[in-house]
Amino acid sequence: TFDEDVEAMPVSPPSSESGRPPMASSASRFSWWSYLFAIAAVVGCMLAAWIAGCAIDSVALAAGAALMLLRAVRRRCAGTHREGEAETEFALGEVDYSLLVLFAGQFVLVGATVDTGLPQKALQGILGPCFRQLDATAACVFWFSIVVMLLSNIISNVPVILMLQPLLARQPAANAVQVWTICAWVATVAGNLTMLGSAANLIVAQGAESRGEAGYNATST
């Protein structure tokens, strides 16, 4: 009969408009709380390994691999992955290659400029007697901080550290930690002043622009 034929017909699972399989039930879903707890555990282990003196690069690679594995498990349990899509395909599809090219070009340009020795000669002229010991007096600390702040908002705060590294390496060993701390703190704060102060600002601005946000007010888009 017609009713028996209908019952015998195979029923295909529903799919969303994006072509992805439906969300898994809440009972089998890898909950957000479990996901966040796992991320916190990985980050905590990474920090503990660094404090214990383990190799920074090896620990960072291990933590990154663990986080990618957690995301893969989360996507599988939540049912948000595409059928037949490998996790590597998803990860590579999320890479912002234009941003990577920007960073690579920025560091190559700054590194090549540092190799010419011109930045050191310019800094020697700008800093004057403070050049040999940046924390010799309060005036030297203030003037050095102003220079770091201005440079951070011209070439961004991370490349400016690369440019200042030869200068900082010449400081007296007894004052090295204090000088590096001052430089790091000023460069970090300077990154919040203008759009060019930090690469993070450029990333946020690019994301906002891709969503149609074109306004600019102080340091935000």
Side-chain angles (χ1 to χ4, degrees), residues 31 40 67 75 84 115 182-183:
S31 71
L67 291 175
R75 292 179 65 241
D115 289 341
I182 294 172
C183 184

Side-chain angles (χ1 to χ4, degrees), residues 5-22:
D5 292 337
V6 170
E7 292 177 358
M9 291 177 62
V11 178
S12 58
S15 59
S16 62
E17 295 180 358
S18 62
R20 295 182 178 181

